[in-house]
Amino acid sequence: MAAELGHVTVVFAGQSESWAKWIDHQIRAAGRSTTLVRWNPLRQPPTPEVFANLLSAPGRFLLVIDDWHERLGDEWFEAWAEALRQVLPVYGDRMAAVSITARPLPEAVIALAPVELRGLRPEVASSRVLECAGIPAPGSLIDLRRGPRFPDDPPDVWQVPRRNRRFIGRTELLEKVYGALSAAGSDGAAVALQGPGGIGKSQLALEYVHRFAGEYDIVWWVNAAQRVTARQQFAELAPALDLPDAGDLAATITAVRRELDSTARPWLLVLDGAGDPERVLDLVPEGRGHLLVTTHRSEWGAHAENIAVPAFERRESVAFVERRTARLSDAQAARLAEAVEDVPLLLDQTAAWLDINPAAPVDAYIRDIREGRPDRFGVMPSGQYRESFEVAWAKLLNTLREGSESAWQLLNLLVCFSHDVVPVRLLQTARHGDLPPELAELSAEPSSWNTALRRLSEITSMRIEYEPGPRMDAQTVGTLRMHRLFHRFVRSIQSPADAERYSAAARKVLVSADPRDSSSPGNWARYAALIPHLEPSRALESTDDDVRELVLNCIEYLRMRGEYLEGWELSRKTVDHWRATSGGTDRSVLVAVHQLANMLRRLGRYEDAETVGRDILARLERADSVRPIEVIRARDGLGGTLMALGRYAEARALFEEAAATAVAELGAEQVPRTLAIRSNLAVAVGLQGHYTESLALHRKVFEARVDVLGGRDPLTLNSALRTAWMLRLLGNYREALVIQGHNSRVHSQVLDRTHSQTLLAEHNLALCARRVGDLQFAHALLRSVREKLIRRRGPLHPETLMVSCDYAMLLRDLDRTEEARDLAEATATHYAAQLGDRHPYAIGARDNVATVMRDLGETRAALELSRWTVRQMRRAVGRNHPWTIGCAKNEIAALAAEGEREAAATLGRETADRSARALGDGHLLTISLRAGLALDLAELGEREEAETLHQDAVARLTSLLGADHPHTRRILERHRPYWDFEPQPI
């Protein structure tokens, strides 16, 4: 019997899960056995027998009292209260209660004398729980750091909308979600709540988050309807996890994902309103946490366990309606639920309408909803929604129009912004001249403003979130979320005049909110918040110069943040709208087209970028009175595209024309635009193989940028990087290493270690280290760069392929030949697929494969492939290009490996002489070709000439690299020299 008396049964309603688990843990930690019983008063008849069955277990009962009673209709609650009054005299000595609600308790519950737990310190609350459970104070304190977190203590990292206090029912669904996520144990799990609009998916997810918050240390809610918003909100988790903002949004997202993948802290990520999975899957971590998605798309079933969210059950509908308004009887609530098909959104809105129209006959209203036609209420049937829905919305809007004009006018403005997060704070702080006069007056008085918003929220089921007011002395409405179906409906019934008037006001608000500096990291959150509203406000259709400047600034923000896909989508839509109204040579159109080509290049869509670039240049050359800067920008942009396509001579010609025009029109050395074009020209010259000329140009640009921009500006750092790159290609390895080492350190200080340019700097540092023989350092660094790029950009991005090509040949140096072969072949295949098999990068990557094949003993196949690469590279870049000479050098090595010494010597002599004429006697390629020729001549018996060539090569290499350099030692030891292809950054 003593054991039975020691047992404690904890009874709770489902919404108190976190408290119940914490209470249960306190009792068990004190040495008593427990049973947790979840009780749902909506699922059982309100009779004393139900209570008696519940209380039939041995031991004591501890009831957890929350505000569940507010979720019942009056009749249902009174029935339960009467049942409780009948059982109290029988079981009262075994019952105790704790209260976890701050709301007033009804008389029937007060009779239980519940002990308050909210607002207490954890140790005080624990002591009260044990006292209520009849447990003497333990001799030693319970360690509160173990077990569930105290429910009044929020998770360490928490960004979630406020709890919906009107939430009701859905118990089985919540338990199903909890079961699906918790069943994974220490593994990660994902659940997608799937169903049509208005069915309550977001509210179900919100209730799950609040109910089970105690299970997690990190809880983050992301509005995922728009990719731009979703990515920015996910990246905002970085500072909460003590991670730096990497500047590049993709890099920050990668850092957050990596942290969630590796952390032992339990986390929950919510993607609310997600559409196509492919748009947001790059936000989904693979760690041991939980993912909860709300969506109307069934495709999420491939990535998560789909749980269908149906309409309310009728009893849930009735309870919800009676809680929303006290006017309806059970029978009327049931008829209303039937009329709107138990859809929660419509139940909320129709019940709200009845509540604010107390004189309206309930039965007549329900009849209108069920049988009426929208046109009776001033709305033409659209065919997009059920007629009962349109009737309900039409009556609601008519009530607003007739009874609350300010709220009606405010709604007309709000629907000109994105439904997902309406920027209420921007509206309240907008200049009065930007708003319609009636709303300007409303926004000037905070109390009237908040009252109108709250009324609008009550009537239309909008969710509002509060934030501190401007003087920090009161809470004001900060953001508002509108259901997309209702948002679309209101937009559809606006008159053309109203739509234009309120859209124009929305655009003025957005323009006023533009920081006008998209390059500053401090403004990036603002631009991310503005972008979702461009289309709803019809900003893309505007001909206003300020609006267009806002759109261009948003596009530039996306480019700065590395969001090239979103940048392409926005710039494409912008060009389509603006070109139709302003022609092809308007200034804003030209800037948008330039950005479109930029985004296409960044995405590796070079042929599309060329089409765009050539089209705009042709338009400009045909047009009259075009500003010179537009032609300069067009030639510069097209030159960049042609470089990526491997057409270096054409690119150089365009850059030279652009640079000459820039000097004449803008100025020479002290103009950043001129310096940028000259930097691009230097890159093109280097891609043509004129390394010495390219180095001189890069150095000149670097010196000018130091004077104009300073030594730590990203553009100056890029010029230093390019200078070091050319020095390395010319064989000045030590000088290149010193410059690049410093350059990489400053990059990581200025731009962060995961920025694209920082990774390029580390890439070059690894190549410099490889060339001076520090293979282990080079391997560790290049592997790290490649892994970061794969996570950020994927394995097929041009930046990733460039690093993979170099990494494959570094693996060969480390005698990891099979790995080198696999990666070299994969890289060559991807280059051919992206750029065509006649592109210099595809050819050079294939030549690397031939080199590795020769190492593996596949000499005949290696020779055939080398012959092919020589022919193709000659056609692509010319016979005197270092790449063509390098491919020929590898063909010579393949001939020698096949025993064709005479052919090797003949080709070696011709190639060495050609290299001397094109690159000079002191160039590394020329020196190593003559060293290889010496080996073949020695095999053919021409030892005197062979020795002369050998000694000359050793002397030149010693002078250039030093006697201890690995390359010098290899030649001294008469090893066969080789060449590997390195793609150059564009």
Side-chain angles (χ1 to χ4, degrees):
M1 185 65 184
E4 290 183 351
L5 290 175
H7 187 82
V8 180
T9 300
V10 180
V11 181
F12 67 100
Q15 63 266 24
S16 304
E17 186 97 24
S18 297
W19 275 102
K21 289 184 174 180
W22 184 82
I23 290 168
D24 178 71
H25 176 76
Q26 305 311 304
I27 297 171
R28 285 188 289 106
R32 299 299 177 91
S33 61
T34 62
T35 302
L36 270 176
V37 176
R38 182 185 287 107
W39 180 59
N40 183 356
L42 280 175
R43 291 289 176 191
Q44 302 172 68
T47 64
E49 289 74 24
V50 171
F51 267 132
N53 289 335
L54 184 67
L55 301 172
S56 62
R60 291 185 62 81
F61 289 85
L62 186 58
L63 307 184
V64 182
I65 306 298
D66 55 24
D67 57 359
W68 62 266
H69 54 87
E70 294 189 358
R71 304 172 187 229
L72 305 175
D74 289 342
E75 297 176 20
W76 203 256
F77 174 75
E78 284 303 326
W80 275 117
E82 177 58 31
L84 180 60
R85 280 190 288 268
Q86 292 184 38
V87 301
L88 267 178
V90 180
Y91 298 97
D93 61 333
R94 295 171 54 204
M95 292 172 60
V98 293
S99 170
I100 58 168
T101 178
R103 295 175 177 269
L105 296 175
E107 184 179 342
V109 176
I110 291 174
L112 293 169
V115 173
E116 178 65 49
L117 295 185
R118 277 199 179 277
L120 302 178
R121 297 193 309 275
E123 60 272 18
V124 177
S126 177
S127 177
R128 289 193 178 185
V129 164
L130 298 183
E131 183 180 349
C132 289
I135 302 172
S140 58
L141 292 176
I142 296 172
D143 187 354
L144 296 174
R145 294 170 300 178
R146 304 180 64 181
R149 185 179 57 253
F150 184 54
D152 259 3
D153 293 340
D156 298 338
V157 178
W158 174 263
Q159 178 174 281
V160 176
R162 290 179 304 113
R163 194 171 194 172
N164 181 3
R165 293 296 175 185
R166 292 197 181 111
F167 185 87
I168 198 166
R170 304 293 205 186
T171 302
E172 288 79 5
L173 271 176
L174 287 164
E175 291 176 358
K176 190 173 183 180
V177 173
Y178 179 75
L181 292 175
S182 59
S186 60
D187 296 328
V191 164
L193 298 174
Q194 194 260 328
I199 211 69
K201 303 180 294 294
S202 295
Q203 296 307 311
L204 181 63
L206 187 60
E207 178 63 20
Y208 175 87
V209 169
H210 283 278
R211 186 172 295 192
F212 296 99
E215 307 275 333
Y216 303 98
D217 289 341
I218 301 168
V219 183
W220 205 254
W221 185 284
V222 171
N223 298 318
Q226 299 201 47
R227 179 174 161 87
V228 170
T229 303
R231 290 173 65 78
Q232 177 64 27
Q233 289 185 357
F234 183 80
E236 288 168 3
L237 178 53
L241 299 176
D242 296 324
L243 301 173
D245 187 323
D248 184 299
L249 189 60
T252 304
I253 288 170
T254 298
V256 172
R257 284 187 57 183
R258 188 185 310 122
E259 177 65 20
L260 294 180
D261 285 343
S262 60
T263 185
R265 294 190 289 174
W267 54 262
L268 171 65
L269 173 67
V270 181
L271 299 180
D272 183 38
D276 182 357
E278 298 303 321
R279 302 278 292 171
V280 291
L281 274 179
D282 55 352
L283 304 182
V284 178
E286 298 177 354
R288 292 170 289 182
H290 293 164
L291 171 70
L292 184 59
V293 181
T294 71
T295 182
H296 64 284
R297 301 284 290 265
S298 60
E299 298 96 313
W300 275 97
H303 310 283
E305 179 178 337
N306 255 2
I307 294 180
V309 180
F312 272 154
E313 293 183 13
R314 184 58 48 82
R315 179 172 289 181
E316 292 175 323
S317 296
V318 170
F320 179 80
V321 169
E322 291 181 354
R323 188 178 183 202
R324 193 70 168 83
T325 177
R327 294 185 58 199
L328 278 66
S329 66
D330 285 355
Q332 288 173 323
R335 290 202 303 277
L336 178 62
E338 180 183 9
V340 299
E341 302 176 35
D342 296 291
V343 173
L345 174 65
L346 269 294
L347 282 168
D348 195 26
Q349 292 175 329
T350 53
W353 189 93
L354 287 167
D355 198 47
I356 65 172
N357 291 277
V362 173
D363 292 335
Y365 176 79
I366 295 172
R367 187 168 55 252
D368 282 343
I369 299 297
R370 188 174 61 244
E371 301 173 0
R373 293 186 55 80
D375 52 11
R376 285 184 52 210
F377 306 98
V379 173
M380 295 303 297
S382 66
Q384 295 183 14
Y385 318 97
R386 297 181 181 89
E387 287 196 352
S388 60
F389 291 16
E390 292 188 332
V391 169
W393 286 334
K395 290 178 73 68
L396 183 154
L397 295 179
N398 287 339
T399 298
L400 270 181
R401 189 185 292 114
E402 297 163 7
S404 184
E405 187 176 4
S406 60
W408 165 249
Q409 293 164 342
L410 185 54
L411 176 63
N412 272 276
L413 178 59
L414 296 181
V415 296
C416 295
F417 296 93
S418 169
H419 72 277
D420 203 35
V421 182
V422 181
V424 176
R425 191 82 183 97
L426 283 185
L427 290 173
Q428 190 176 9
T429 57
R431 298 179 306 181
H432 283 198
D434 293 339
L435 297 174
E438 64 276 10
L439 292 181
E441 184 177 342
L442 182 68
S443 69
E445 175 48 55
S447 60
S448 300
W449 175 260
N450 286 334
T451 298
L453 285 170
R454 281 193 293 268
R455 181 168 179 76
L456 207 51
S457 173
E458 283 289 314
I459 297 173
T460 63
S461 300
M462 297 182 193
R463 290 283 296 165
I464 57 178
E465 296 293 330
Y466 291 92
E467 61 184 35
R471 291 184 295 273
M472 305 299 290
D473 57 351
Q475 292 284 302
T476 186
V477 177
T479 59
L480 178 150
R481 295 191 66 192
M482 193 182 309
H483 198 281
R484 60 184 176 85
L485 296 181
F486 184 67
H487 181 276
R488 191 188 310 157
F489 177 77
V490 177
R491 285 303 296 261
S492 72
I493 67 165
Q494 278 185 318
S495 69
D498 279 349
E500 179 48 42
R501 180 169 180 255
Y502 288 107
S503 293
R507 293 192 293 272
K508 288 181 180 179
V509 170
L510 296 176
V511 166
S512 295
D514 181 6
R516 292 174 171 77
D517 181 7
S518 51
S519 64
S520 172
N523 296 329
W524 287 346
R526 170 59 62 87
Y527 280 111
L530 294 178
I531 287 173
H533 307 298
L534 296 179
E535 289 193 75
S537 67
R538 300 179 180 173
L540 302 189
E541 304 166 33
S542 176
T543 58
D544 181 85
D545 288 342
D546 290 335
V547 176
R548 288 191 168 185
E549 195 65 31
L550 163 69
V551 174
L552 293 173
N553 287 340
C554 289
I555 295 172
E556 175 63 8
Y557 153 78
L558 292 171
R559 189 190 69 81
M560 290 292 297
R561 287 290 254 166
E563 296 295 279
Y564 304 131
L565 179 60
E566 290 70 33
W568 167 73
E569 290 177 342
L570 181 56
S571 56
R572 177 180 56 80
K573 292 175 183 176
T574 299
V575 169
D576 289 344
H577 283 297
W578 292 359
R579 188 177 276 167
T581 57
S582 303
T585 57
D586 177 81
R587 186 200 72 82
S588 56
V589 175
L590 293 172
V591 176
V593 171
H594 177 69
Q595 288 284 33
L596 175 61
N598 260 340
M599 301 300 180
L600 287 167
R601 274 199 306 276
R602 299 285 185 171
L603 291 169
R605 296 173 53 181
Y606 301 120
E607 292 183 357
D608 291 337
E610 182 189 5
T611 299
V612 171
R614 287 199 180 280
D615 175 71
I616 197 60
L617 184 57
R619 288 172 185 267
L620 289 170
E621 290 174 342
R622 292 195 303 266
D624 297 325
S625 64
V626 171
R627 295 192 312 158
I629 185 61
E630 307 298 353
V631 180
I632 292 169
R633 184 186 290 118
R635 285 175 176 154
D636 187 42
L638 180 57
T641 299
L642 293 176
M643 276 200 300
L645 286 168
R647 286 145 58 185
Y648 306 130
E650 292 179 74
R652 177 175 182 170
L654 282 167
F655 288 136
E656 286 174 337
E657 290 180 51
T661 307
V663 169
E665 299 290 341
L666 307 177
E669 301 303 335
Q670 302 303 310
V671 180
R673 166 66 71 177
T674 304
L675 293 176
I677 296 169
R678 284 185 164 171
S679 178
N680 289 338
L681 173 60
V683 174
V685 170
L687 287 165
Q688 286 186 297
H690 306 313
Y691 298 152
T692 301
E693 183 183 357
S694 176
L695 174 61
L697 287 170
H698 278 307
R699 275 186 161 149
K700 193 172 183 180
V701 172
F702 171 67
E703 291 165 1
R705 279 178 166 168
V706 169
D707 290 340
V708 175
L709 304 173
R712 294 173 66 87
D713 185 89
L715 292 174
T716 307
L717 293 177
N718 185 57
S719 287
L721 190 163
R722 299 284 184 169
T723 299
W725 201 290
M726 284 300 120
L727 284 167
R728 178 175 53 77
L729 292 180
L730 285 165
N732 299 330
Y733 299 143
R734 294 290 177 186
E735 184 182 359
L737 181 64
V738 170
I739 293 174
Q740 193 55 61
H742 174 73
N743 179 258
S744 295
R745 285 192 297 275
V746 180
H747 263 98
S748 64
Q749 295 165 5
V750 173
L751 292 176
D752 193 85
R753 295 194 67 85
T754 56
H755 192 280
S756 291
Q757 193 168 304
T758 304
L759 294 180
L760 183 61
E762 291 184 350
H763 177 195
N764 191 41
L765 180 59
L767 296 181
C768 291
R770 178 191 174 200
R771 294 308 179 192
V772 299
D774 191 350
L775 298 186
Q776 295 304 321
F777 174 78
H779 175 255
L781 184 56
L782 199 56
R783 179 180 61 188
S784 171
V785 170
R786 182 169 178 266
E787 288 172 351
K788 290 175 184 176
L789 284 171
I790 289 173
R791 285 194 297 265
R792 275 188 56 206
R793 303 291 192 205
L796 304 184
H797 190 273
E799 293 173 12
T800 312
L801 288 179
M802 178 177 66
V803 173
S804 294
C805 192
D806 292 332
Y807 187 61
M809 301 313 285
L810 178 56
L811 291 174
R812 174 183 177 271
D813 288 347
L814 295 168
D815 295 324
R816 294 163 60 175
T817 315
E818 291 290 350
E819 291 178 70
R821 164 79 172 268
D822 291 342
L823 183 56
E825 285 192 334
T827 305
T829 300
H830 294 319
Y831 265 137
Q834 286 187 13
L835 304 173
D837 58 8
R838 299 298 187 268
H839 190 283
Y841 286 12
I843 299 164
R846 188 63 64 190
D847 193 70
N848 286 349
V849 175
T851 299
V852 183
M853 289 171 64
R854 191 171 68 248
D855 293 341
L856 292 170
E858 302 173 28
T859 54
R860 174 50 58 181
L863 175 58
E864 294 301 319
L865 184 54
S866 285
R867 284 171 169 164
W868 180 86
T869 61
V870 170
R871 291 194 303 271
Q872 298 304 323
M873 193 66 86
R874 185 186 301 124
R875 293 190 185 112
V877 295
R879 68 192 305 270
N880 293 327
H881 195 289
W883 294 346
T884 307
I885 294 170
C887 288
K889 178 179 173 181
N890 288 338
E891 181 185 356
I892 296 164
L895 285 167
E898 271 290 282
E900 299 182 26
R901 291 289 181 176
E902 289 189 8
T906 301
L907 181 58
R909 192 182 298 279
E910 185 274 327
T911 305
D913 291 345
R914 179 156 43 98
S915 180
R917 291 192 301 273
L919 306 174
D921 288 320
H923 194 281
L924 270 175
L925 264 177
T926 307
I927 297 169
S928 58
L929 278 164
R930 286 175 172 163
L933 176 60
L935 297 177
D936 295 324
L937 290 175
E939 287 292 325
L940 293 172
E942 301 178 29
R943 299 191 179 279
E944 184 176 347
E945 183 183 2
E947 187 61 25
T948 300
L949 287 171
H950 176 73
Q951 292 300 328
D952 180 68
V954 170
R956 288 181 181 275
L957 285 174
T958 301
S959 174
L960 182 63
L961 304 177
D964 294 331
H965 191 279
H967 197 42
T968 306
R969 291 200 305 270
R970 282 182 59 83
I971 297 302
L972 188 62
E973 296 166 3
R974 302 180 190 273
H975 291 291
R976 170 69 61 178
Y978 70 92
W979 174 83
D980 55 70
F981 171 73
E982 293 179 5
Q984 304 302 305
I986 303 300

